């Protein structure tokens, strides 16, 4: 199941015919440069190329009024002066004789992508289009947008494919007010948008872009606005927004399809957004969305006006859609104070509508909206320094790509006993190699549990595979060990990893697995035990948490504890061990592995014991290979004791691991 790339070169025809500094950034080179970059990186060639079709007038009518469509049809015959006069009637819009054709292709591309995904031709895809769509409304063009491509695609998915729950994630840096208006009373579409807001001073300067706009009527709680009140938001802020706001709601909503209003003006270097997120961040955001809806993610380009930043971000997103591991995120993983205030506001505004937020204790915020006494915060000094920062970050990304080439093998599996009927996905390597006998015995010697032949053979395979991951031949792996040897094998694997090149090793041990006794809190390892015995000497590097029993409890454990710890720690190797009595159901284990794949450049090694089902080994190999994890089943509330345990731990660990934070400093004037 592949990735579609939908495009038509006619969409480069529309361009600005007069002088207008506001509109000149929306130019044809946005598409040609992005496409060129996809070709240079060999990514376009790996996609299923689809030539965009025009949306029919009936399809445009799913969202737009007949009069508005007729008006635009008429613009094809207008001269430049008339086009300019008509454009002036809208806010930040320019028209060209080819605009109607281009805009129909843009909407048609989104429709074609949704059809390809929902008919099972591909698993996901990207439509590279212009004009963009998310500002456009029933009877008006706005903000470079003519037809609302994503909204039309969502209506089409409802009506032609009978979908009941669609998630729209709008990571463009502007508020897609058009999408919000179209679905604000519709509980079958969950619309999430983050946007530069600056307390209402940033375009389109709408009161209804704030966090307290949560939808209307039956749609209450299905509009989620996350306003950024300062510029300069970066990787940590964006990932925190996903972990602490979007994903809890998305899992509770359980979408059948994810549409992304993929604007890249939220990336570093963009003149509109003035944010700092680097291109690889969009691979992470994409991966985080791919665990939803069986991986059915349809992305449609919106904004993005810094050609280099836009193109690299598009490449990163397509790599993630293709299932390649994401590059590690650069920069300190600590959200800004202002970002935390925003997260807190949205969580408080949404808490009445979402069980998963009520449980995590989203504290109500007093007197929201009165918190910007100084009025408009000063924007970053324009020009020089910031553009230098952008240029440096963008070129260092290219260096990173050279340093971390995609390993030739994405997943390798080592199994001890020949397991019959194991259906490994295509491309997954079944590794037969082992460490030399003497070396293996030296590592095994301290452990009685590794004296048995069977255990020793398994250990040899585990260490061999670990070696191949550490030397970059293989991206990730999974292996099985005999039950009595599970703890000892993990102990050796941790020490082996640390002495063979891992600088920061994250170990997520589920079930009865003790922390290797000689591990110290030297900052090079972080040990997280789920569902084992309580740690006798807990520390910032030794965390233990009970295994939650419900899906809701499991999800908050992963989203609110495991991933924030992992993203804060920034490991370069992740070991996930499912030990005796781990108690995870296969879909839970798969979700954990799929989400941890975002860490360490995808260097994730999973260890299961042989008592686990063969299906578990298969499903782990599949998700490590980039497939979506199976559904967790119906959402059920976390048990109070699980929530309590989590809240306590987060309080204890927050001072060191900043991605755990979900609330700003006590809201005082000018805070953040
Ligand atoms: N004078 C998209 O990114 N700028 N549209 C208005 C106020 C308009 C952005 C500035 C920006 C439109 C799809
Ligand atoms: Zn935008």
């Amino acid at each position: 199941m592949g990735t579609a790339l939908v495009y038509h070169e006619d969409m480069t025809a529309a361009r600005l015919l007069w002088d207008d500094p506001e509109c000149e950034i929306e130019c044809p080179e946005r598409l040609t440069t992005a496409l060129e970059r996809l070709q240079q990186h060999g990514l376009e060639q790996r996609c299923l190329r689809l030539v965009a079709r025009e949306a029919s007038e009936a399809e445009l009518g799913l969202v737009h009024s007949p009069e508005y469509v007729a008006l635009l049809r008429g613009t094809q015959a207008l001269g430049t002066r008339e086009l300019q006069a008509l454009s002036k009637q809208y806010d930040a819009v320019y028209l060209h004789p080819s605009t109607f054709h281009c805009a129909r292709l843009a909407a048609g591309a989104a429709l074609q992508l949704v059809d390809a995904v929902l008919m099972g031709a591909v698993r996901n895809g990207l439509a590279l289009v212009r004009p963009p769509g998310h500002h456009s409304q029933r009877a008006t063009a706005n903000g470079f947008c003519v037809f609302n491509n994503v909204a039309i695609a969502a209506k089409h998915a409802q009506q032609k494919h009978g979908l009941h729950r669609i998630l729209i994630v709008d990571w463009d840096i502007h508020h897609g007010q058009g999408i919000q208006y179209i679905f604000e009373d519709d509980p079958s579409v969950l619309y999430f948008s983050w946007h530069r807001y600056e307390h209402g001073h940033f375009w389109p300067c709408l009161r209804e872009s704030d966090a307290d706009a949560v939808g209307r009527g039956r749609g209450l709680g299905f509009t989620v606005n996350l306003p950024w009140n300062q510029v300069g938001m970066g990787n940590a802020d964006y990932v925190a927004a996903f972990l602490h706001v979007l994903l809890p709601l998305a899992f509770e909503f359980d979408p059948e399809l994810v549409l992304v209003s993929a604007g890249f003006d939220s990336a570093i270097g963009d003149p509109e957004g003035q944010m700092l997120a680097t291109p690889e961040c969009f691979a992470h955001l994409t991966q985080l969305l791919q665990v939803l809806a069986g991986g059915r993610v349809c992305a449609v380009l919106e904004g993005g006006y810094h050609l280099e930043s836009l193109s690299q971000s598009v490449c990163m997103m397509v790599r993630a859609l293709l299932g390649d591991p994401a590059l590690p995120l650069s920069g300190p993983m600590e959200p800004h104070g202002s970002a935390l205030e925003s997260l807190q506001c949205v969580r408080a505004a949404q808490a009445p509508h979402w069980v998963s937020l009520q449980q995590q204790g989203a504290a109500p915020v007093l007197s929201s909206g009165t918190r910007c006494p100084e009025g408009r915060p000063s924007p970053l000094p324009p020009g020089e320094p910031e553009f230098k920062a952008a240029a440096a970050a963008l070129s260092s990304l290219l260096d990173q790509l050279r340093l971390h080439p995609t390993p030739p093998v994405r997943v390798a599996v080592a199994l001890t006993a020949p397991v019959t009927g194991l259906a490994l996905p295509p491309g997954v390597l079944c590794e037969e190699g082992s460490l030399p006998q003497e070396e293996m015995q030296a590592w095994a010697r301290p452990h009685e549990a590794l004296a048995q032949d069977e255990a020793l053979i398994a250990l040899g395979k585990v260490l061999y595979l670990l070696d191949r991951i550490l030397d970059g031949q293989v991206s990730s792996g999974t292996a099985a060990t005999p039950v009595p040897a599970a703890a000892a094998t993990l102990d050796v694997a941790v020490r082996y990893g640390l002495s063979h090149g891992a600088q920061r090793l994250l170990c997520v041990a589920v079930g009865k697995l003790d922390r290797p006794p000689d591990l110290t809190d030297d900052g090079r390892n972080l040990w997280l035990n789920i569902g084992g015995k309580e740690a006798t000497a807990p520390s910032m590097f030794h965390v233990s948490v009970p295994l939650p029993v419900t899906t809701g409890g499991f999800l908050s454990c992963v989203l609110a504890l495991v991933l924030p710890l992992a993203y804060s720690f920034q490991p370069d190797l992740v070991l996930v061990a499912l030990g005796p009595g781990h108690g995870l159901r296969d879909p839970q284990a798969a979700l954990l592995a799929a989400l941890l794949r975002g860490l360490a450049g995808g260097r994730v090694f999973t260890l299961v014991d042989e008592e686990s089902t063969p299906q578990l080994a298969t499903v782990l190999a599949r998700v490590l290979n980039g497939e979506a994890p199976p559904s967790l089943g119906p959402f059920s509330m976390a048990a109070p004791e699980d929530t309590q345990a989590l809240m306590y731990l987060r309080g204890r660990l927050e001072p060191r691991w900043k991605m755990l934070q979900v609330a700003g400093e006590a809201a005082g004037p000018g805070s953040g």
Side-chain angles (χ1 to χ4, degrees):
M1 285 279 277
T3 296
L5 185 65
V6 195
Y7 180 70
H8 194 302
E9 69 171 17
D10 282 4
M11 283 185 285
T12 59
R15 59 192 175 85
L16 182 63
L17 295 175
W18 51 87
D19 205 45
D20 181 349
E22 175 171 277
C23 289
E24 68 192 9
I25 55 176
E26 203 294 287
C27 61
E29 291 72 29
R30 297 178 57 233
L31 289 190
T32 50
T33 313
L35 198 67
E36 219 166 81
R37 262 303 156 88
L38 285 170
Q39 285 161 351
Q40 278 170 9
H41 289 295
L43 294 165
E44 183 247 16
Q45 297 84 335
R46 293 169 61 194
C47 293
L48 176 70
R49 275 296 302 266
L50 296 176
V51 179
R53 66 170 174 91
E54 286 191 323
S56 69
E57 297 210 3
E59 287 164 337
L60 299 176
L62 290 169
V63 161
H64 299 285
S65 72
E67 298 76 21
Y68 176 65
V69 174
L71 176 83
L72 277 153
R73 193 189 314 117
T75 61
Q76 298 175 96
L78 298 183
T80 304
R81 291 284 153 244
E82 297 161 297
L83 288 168
Q84 189 173 3
L86 183 56
S87 300
K88 271 220 285 266
Q89 305 198 0
Y90 302 110
D91 185 6
V93 170
Y94 70 88
L95 297 166
H96 179 274
S98 73
T99 291
F100 184 63
H101 177 53
C102 292
R104 283 180 63 174
L105 284 173
L111 291 170
Q112 231 172 337
L113 177 55
V114 163
D115 283 337
V117 166
L118 293 180
M119 294 184 322
V122 287
R123 190 183 48 193
N124 58 33
L126 169 67
L128 275 182
V129 306
R130 58 187 287 272
H134 71 154
H135 298 303
S136 142
Q137 296 148 44
R138 178 171 164 79
T140 189
N142 179 272
F144 314 151
C145 300
V146 178
F147 297 131
N148 201 313
N149 310 317
V150 166
I152 293 168
K155 291 269 190 195
H156 173 84
Q158 292 177 323
Q159 297 191 1
K160 287 278 145 50
H161 296 276
L163 295 202
H164 301 293
R165 290 181 313 281
I166 300 170
L167 169 65
I168 300 178
V169 178
D170 187 341
W171 71 42
D172 185 282
I173 206 57
H174 301 94
H175 181 214
Q177 85 278 36
I179 302 181
Q180 175 167 315
Y181 299 154
I182 293 159
F183 296 109
E184 64 190 346
D185 59 4
D186 183 349
S188 72
V189 174
L190 173 56
Y191 176 60
F192 170 90
S193 172
W194 66 36
H195 31 269
R196 179 173 170 188
Y197 189 58
E198 295 174 305
H199 299 283
H201 294 282
F202 188 70
W203 188 91
C205 311
L206 300 169
R207 179 66 189 84
E208 62 269 30
S209 307
D210 210 347
D212 59 354
V214 298
R216 292 192 297 122
R218 299 192 54 223
L220 269 180
F222 296 93
T223 294
V224 181
N225 283 326
L226 170 47
W228 300 123
N229 287 317
Q230 287 182 4
V231 296
M233 297 303 165
N235 297 345
D237 306 295
Y238 287 3
V239 170
F242 268 44
L243 297 183
H244 298 306
V245 177
L246 174 60
L247 289 175
L249 305 196
F251 274 106
E252 192 173 335
F253 180 66
D254 189 23
E256 301 157 308
L257 173 69
V258 179
L259 298 176
V260 185
S261 266
F264 297 96
D265 40 15
S266 44
I268 187 163
D270 192 278
E272 279 285 312
Q274 310 263 323
M275 298 297 175
L276 296 172
T278 52
E280 68 274 19
C281 189
F282 295 93
H284 288 257
L285 302 181
T286 304
Q287 279 195 350
L288 291 171
L289 295 180
Q290 284 175 294
V291 300
L292 300 164
R296 284 182 290 273
V297 173
C298 296
V300 182
L301 183 67
E302 300 278 1
Y305 307 102
H306 183 293
L307 297 181
E308 188 53 28
S309 177
L310 164 69
S311 308
Q312 289 197 22
S313 302
V314 164
C315 287
M316 292 297 147
M317 178 178 203
V318 170
R319 280 171 53 113
L321 289 174
L322 286 163
D324 288 357
L327 293 173
L329 286 177
S330 50
M333 289 303 279
E334 175 170 356
H336 289 95
S338 165
L340 292 172
E341 278 182 26
S342 297
L343 296 189
Q344 190 180 18
C345 285
V346 198
R347 285 167 56 94
Q350 296 291 340
H353 311 289
W354 299 95
V355 167
S356 47
L357 292 184
Q358 287 151 24
Q359 292 194 309
Q360 291 178 28
V365 173
L366 302 170
S367 68
S368 76
T370 57
R371 213 130 38 71
C372 190
E374 77 279 35
R376 181 177 189 155
S378 58
L380 283 184
E384 282 289 289
E386 167 201 335
F387 272 103
K388 275 195 193 131
L394 289 170
S395 75
S396 94
L397 184 75
L398 292 178
D399 293 342
Q400 267 192 69
L401 272 175
R402 270 189 293 275
L403 289 170
H404 300 264
T406 308
V409 176
R410 204 186 274 167
V411 187
V413 179
L415 296 163
T416 40
V419 185
T420 48
L422 191 65
L424 287 181
V428 169
L429 178 77
C430 200
E431 188 57 78
E432 297 292 342
S434 178
L435 222 57
Q437 189 76 17
E438 318 81 73
E439 208 182 324
M440 206 163 78
Q441 271 163 350
W443 282 99
R445 199 156 298 128
H447 291 282
E448 226 169 280
L450 295 173
Q452 301 256 304
D453 266 2
E454 208 200 337
L456 205 56
I457 292 170
L459 180 73
K461 292 190 170 192
V462 166
L463 298 186
Y464 182 81
L465 203 47
L466 205 48
D467 246 349
R468 300 208 51 192
I469 293 174
L470 288 164
D471 69 18
Q473 292 298 301
V474 168
S475 175
S476 58
T478 184
T481 61
V483 179
T489 306
L490 179 60
D491 177 285
V492 174
V494 168
R495 289 187 291 117
Y496 190 89
L498 286 170
S499 61
H500 283 70
Q503 295 304 311
R504 282 186 311 282
L505 191 156
L506 169 66
C507 186
V508 181
V510 191
K512 290 180 186 52
L513 292 163
D514 290 331
R515 187 188 195 218
D518 50 351
L519 277 190
T520 56
D521 291 356
D522 59 1
R524 290 191 56 210
N525 65 86
L526 172 56
W527 177 269
L528 172 57
N529 184 206
I530 305 174
K533 54 176 200 246
E534 222 173 290
T536 43
S539 74
M540 288 298 178
F541 297 92
H542 185 179
V543 179
S544 75
V545 61
L547 178 75
V549 287
T550 65
T551 53
F554 175 74
L555 279 167
S556 23
C557 176
V558 173
L559 298 176
L561 182 73
V562 179
L563 290 177
L565 278 176
Y567 271 103
S568 304
F569 182 58
Q570 297 181 284
D572 58 4
L573 178 64
V574 179
L575 292 183
V576 183
L578 305 178
H582 65 74
L584 288 188
R585 295 184 295 105
D586 289 1
Q588 295 178 322
L591 179 64
L592 182 65
L595 288 168
L596 284 169
R597 231 184 132 231
L599 284 305
R603 291 158 108 197
V604 175
F605 190 88
T606 63
L607 268 173
V608 300
D609 65 48
E610 283 171 345
E611 251 167 35
S612 304
T613 62
Q615 287 91 317
L616 179 59
T618 312
V619 83
L620 287 175
R622 284 182 182 277
V623 298
L624 291 178
N625 204 31
E627 285 185 44
S631 161
L632 288 184
F635 182 88
S636 57
M637 253 171 83
E641 60 269 27
D642 292 337
T643 308
Q644 287 252 297
L646 212 60
M647 299 251 286
Y648 163 76
L649 268 178
R650 286 171 60 175
R652 172 168 90 74
L653 299 166
E654 241 181 48
R656 167 85 203 210
W657 308 114
K658 306 286 187 182
M659 290 294 289
L660 288 165
Q661 301 172 92
V662 287
E665 308 282 301
S671 68

